[in-house]
Amino acid sequence: MTTTATSAAHPHERPLDTPADWWRQATVYQIYPRSFADANGDGIGDLRGIISRVPYLASLGIDAVWLSPFYPSALADGGYDVADYRDVDPRIGTLDEFDEMVAALHAEDIRVVVDIVPNHSSDQHEWFQAALAAGPGSPERARYIFRDGKGPGGGEPPTDWESLFGGPAWTRVPDGQWYLHLFAPEQPDFDWSNHEVRADFLHTLRFWADRGVDGFRVDVAHALTKDLTEPLPTKAQLEAIARGGDHPIWDRDEVHEIYAEWRKVFDSYSPPRTAVAEAWVERHRRPRYASPEGLGQAFEFDLLTAEFDAQAFREVVDDSLELAGISGSSSTWVLSNHDVVRHPTRYGLPPLAKPVGSTESEDKQGRAWILAGAPEEELDRDLGLRRARAATLFELALPGSAYLYQGEELGLHEVGDLPDEARQDPTYFRSPGVDKGRDGCRVPLPWTTTGSSFGFGDDGAHLPQPEWFGASSVEAQDGDPASTLSLYREALRLRRALQAAERLEWLEEFTRGDVLAFARPNGWICVTNFGDEPTALPDGEVLISSAPLDGDRLPGAATAWLRAS
């Protein structure tokens, strides 16, 4: 039985017979619970649906699942507005079902990572409701960031800051004060200088660890601590301050004091619980989040935002491995998740002229294409899928951990043409004409070729699915050796069998122009052709290829793994 230093183990927990560093080269599959599988037919995915699909997850050959939020929520931000950190949304399930799910996954040697959302709660959280009732200056209000307004009667917000979802970052309450929300108004920011906030999250970490949770994905890990000493800067002044250590909001040095406390909790379990930071910070700031004294691992999104280009991919790999060496952690590789346009679609779009005010990563994520109405003539679906399959094999060959997003094993494209009336993402509602949001990658999965929701549930889905989903479904691909699903299964089987030390060596004689080749310890080689023309392969036995070989040559937009001869 696993125990903590302060509490008894939960009776449902079953430790896995694995080393403490299982996470270093793990394959982690992200489940967005509301869109994975719906067991009760209400159009919303649930824990019972996940339980029913455990055999499917086991057949993929993954090492862990990461669950996006399943907590009670008003769904102002897809569950990232948490009303109760230590319960399950009744639309999704119960704590007993959560325990059953963990047991079922553990029985298949699949570990469980859950999302933790510490920067903000829901405005429906009992603490925020108490803060509204208690009024200015109260201990209840001190758990959040409240300020008096400016101007006559305090009728203007404390600053002109904008939230990341668009619109003002401050909302006024009936007694006249304003509260800060870096995201939606329904997501008030905690004040992490408050000892009650810190203690309560330690309680939450233990609560889930005692139920058998193996690790945590930490949302917006770089935003918890803030310096809001008066006078507060204007928006222009705030944006002019360099991020890195003493920025008023982002990536402050003292945030690592919090994670040092969390690490003590993680290490009080055997094996220690793991964590991975979602921290959008400067490159040189990333290792501290991933250090053994902190969260232990941090997402590296550089591969996700890179073009399908040999030089870009090589630079990302070199940089990431260097950072891993500095932190002592392992690299993390990501191509898709719940916040970005799916990578088959990104890779199938032509280069876009950058709109005024946009960032490079926004263009690469295909947001401009969606904003333009997702014109089908601009998307080369076949090329995008070929490149996606090649990029996935490249990713899975790298040393470190790989994070997969539900549906990418089916080669799903983005659902870019959702009707506006169906959209749910607050980004769409708060940024009209600028961003249509992230709903297109969150459309419920297709399990069967036909049916009201393609097997997701018995009665429709909470986001509309396109007709082409049937041909991409699990049923359509299962048993087809040429399918993307079969490619993922075989690649993950080989990845486990070929697991080796966390290093690679570039094979310069085959790395040229549009081609990258590297060798991994244990005698195997990965070659990726980013160009259009076939290229020669090194001598050896081809173990897997993302596309059929052109004789004995690797075609364009393809990756092959070989056992060196």
Side-chain angles (χ1 to χ4, degrees):
M1 285 283 248
T2 302
T3 59
T4 71
T6 58
S7 61
H10 193 274
H12 292 274
E13 184 179 0
R14 184 186 76 83
L16 301 180
D17 296 326
T18 55
D21 62 353
W22 65 266
W23 51 274
R24 294 192 66 93
Q25 298 199 74
T27 304
V28 184
Y29 182 93
Q30 181 188 359
I31 291 177
Y32 191 75
R34 289 172 174 80
S35 296
F36 186 68
D38 171 23
N40 64 5
D42 65 356
I44 298 174
D46 45 44
L47 298 185
R48 185 62 61 191
I50 296 173
I51 293 168
S52 74
R53 300 298 183 179
V54 167
Y56 172 79
L57 296 169
S59 77
L60 285 177
I62 58 174
D63 299 300
V65 297
W66 150 30
L67 297 175
S68 290
F70 51 85
Y71 313 107
S73 172
L75 300 183
D77 181 23
Y80 283 87
D81 48 316
V82 179
D84 187 341
Y85 288 86
R86 297 189 286 273
D87 204 353
V88 176
D89 192 313
R91 292 166 291 188
I92 291 179
T94 66
L95 283 172
D96 285 343
E97 289 176 336
F98 181 88
D99 295 336
E100 183 181 346
M101 178 196 67
V102 171
L105 289 166
H106 279 182
E108 297 290 348
D109 289 326
I110 299 173
R111 296 148 199 82
V112 179
V113 176
V114 300
D115 235 309
I116 193 79
V117 188
N119 179 70
H120 47 261
S121 75
S122 165
D123 62 352
Q124 301 304 304
H125 192 287
E126 63 178 1
W127 274 9
F128 192 73
Q129 291 298 306
L132 295 180
S138 64
E140 292 84 357
R141 196 158 284 195
R143 296 165 176 154
Y144 293 89
I145 300 172
F146 280 85
R147 292 290 186 274
D148 292 330
K150 298 169 66 175
E156 298 177 10
T159 69
D160 60 348
W161 299 350
E162 292 185 1
S163 81
L164 271 69
F165 288 161
W170 298 90
T171 291
R172 200 177 193 190
V173 300
D175 58 39
Q177 280 202 312
W178 300 74
Y179 67 88
L180 178 68
H181 50 88
L182 295 182
F183 296 89
E186 297 88 353
Q187 295 170 292
D189 281 37
F190 283 116
D191 185 342
W192 272 87
S193 67
N194 186 293
H195 74 277
E196 288 185 273
V197 173
R198 295 194 180 207
D200 197 66
F201 270 91
L202 295 178
H203 182 190
T204 294
L205 296 175
R206 292 188 181 101
F207 178 88
W208 294 110
D210 287 348
R211 303 192 90 91
V213 164
D214 302 282
F216 300 87
R217 179 264 189 185
V218 184
D219 187 63
V220 199
H222 57 302
L224 275 57
T225 54
K226 302 173 178 68
D227 179 7
L228 300 184
T229 304
E230 300 285 351
L232 296 176
T234 64
K235 174 189 173 185
Q237 291 170 333
L238 186 69
E239 292 176 347
I241 300 172
R243 296 189 184 187
D246 57 1
H247 188 279
I249 292 176
W250 305 111
D251 187 29
R252 295 185 58 79
D253 285 338
E254 60 262 32
V255 76
H256 299 289
E257 299 171 7
I258 294 169
Y259 299 136
E261 292 181 335
W262 288 23
R263 173 48 55 189
K264 291 178 181 178
V265 172
F266 300 150
D267 288 349
S268 69
Y269 289 81
S270 180
R273 296 323 192 226
T274 69
V276 57
E278 182 207 25
W280 291 86
V281 298
E282 294 293 331
R283 177 183 180 277
H284 70 281
R285 301 281 298 175
R286 202 179 299 157
R288 196 168 177 188
Y289 289 88
S291 73
E293 298 77 28
L295 293 174
Q297 198 174 47
F299 279 124
E300 296 160 9
F301 296 112
D302 299 330
L303 197 63
L304 181 152
T305 58
E307 299 283 1
F308 186 77
D309 174 82
Q311 184 61 32
F313 270 47
R314 178 165 182 168
E315 289 177 1
V316 168
V317 171
D318 286 341
D319 283 351
S320 296
L321 294 179
E322 180 183 353
L323 292 179
I326 293 171
S327 68
S329 183
S330 63
S331 297
T332 56
W333 310 108
V334 186
L335 293 173
S336 283
N337 63 31
H338 65 293
D339 281 334
V340 302
V341 172
R342 290 183 176 275
H343 62 285
T345 296
R346 298 200 314 269
Y347 293 152
L349 289 171
L352 298 175
K354 185 184 294 187
V356 175
S358 75
T359 68
E360 188 177 19
S361 65
E362 285 173 336
D363 280 343
K364 289 176 179 175
Q365 290 174 345
R367 291 179 179 174
W369 175 73
I370 294 174
L371 188 63
E376 188 66 24
E377 65 273 13
E378 292 185 7
L379 175 62
D380 188 332
R381 288 182 175 268
D382 292 339
L383 177 63
L385 181 55
R386 281 178 59 87
R387 288 175 169 176
R389 288 164 59 104
T392 293
L393 275 194
F394 180 92
E395 171 196 26
L396 293 176
L398 294 169
S401 58
Y403 284 79
L404 312 179
Y405 179 53
Q406 66 177 40
E408 70 169 84
E409 76 277 13
L410 304 177
L412 290 185
H413 275 276
E414 185 82 358
V415 183
D417 56 352
L418 285 170
D420 289 348
E421 61 270 17
R423 295 189 180 275
Q424 302 171 9
D425 190 348
T427 304
Y428 165 69
F429 299 102
R430 293 178 61 81
S431 303
V434 176
D435 194 334
K436 285 208 169 184
R438 302 158 292 177
D439 293 313
C441 65
R442 302 177 180 185
V443 174
L445 294 189
W447 294 92
T448 60
T449 57
T450 59
S452 62
S453 65
F454 299 103
F456 168 69
D458 292 337
D459 190 20
H462 68 94
L463 284 168
Q465 301 159 300
E467 286 300 319
W468 53 263
F469 255 31
S472 298
S473 66
V474 174
E475 182 182 34
Q477 298 192 43
D478 197 19
D480 176 2
S483 71
T484 301
L485 176 58
S486 293
L487 177 75
Y488 269 71
R489 285 172 170 163
E490 180 62 9
L492 291 175
R493 184 191 70 79
L494 287 168
R495 176 179 162 90
R496 280 187 171 181
L498 297 170
Q499 200 67 269
E502 293 174 42
R503 62 180 186 273
L504 61 76
E505 177 186 356
W506 295 109
L507 301 178
E508 300 298 347
E509 64 271 32
F510 291 97
T511 296
R512 59 186 182 276
D514 290 329
V515 179
L516 291 182
F518 60 84
R520 291 291 309 278
N522 211 18
W524 62 293
I525 295 170
C526 174
V527 183
T528 301
N529 185 354
F530 291 84
D532 299 323
E533 297 300 319
T535 187
L537 288 169
D539 291 337
E541 175 194 0
V542 175
L543 302 174
I544 189 171
S545 177
S546 66
L549 297 185
D550 183 355
D552 60 354
R553 296 165 67 83
L554 184 66
T559 296
W561 297 357
L562 303 91
R563 191 185 305 278
S565 59

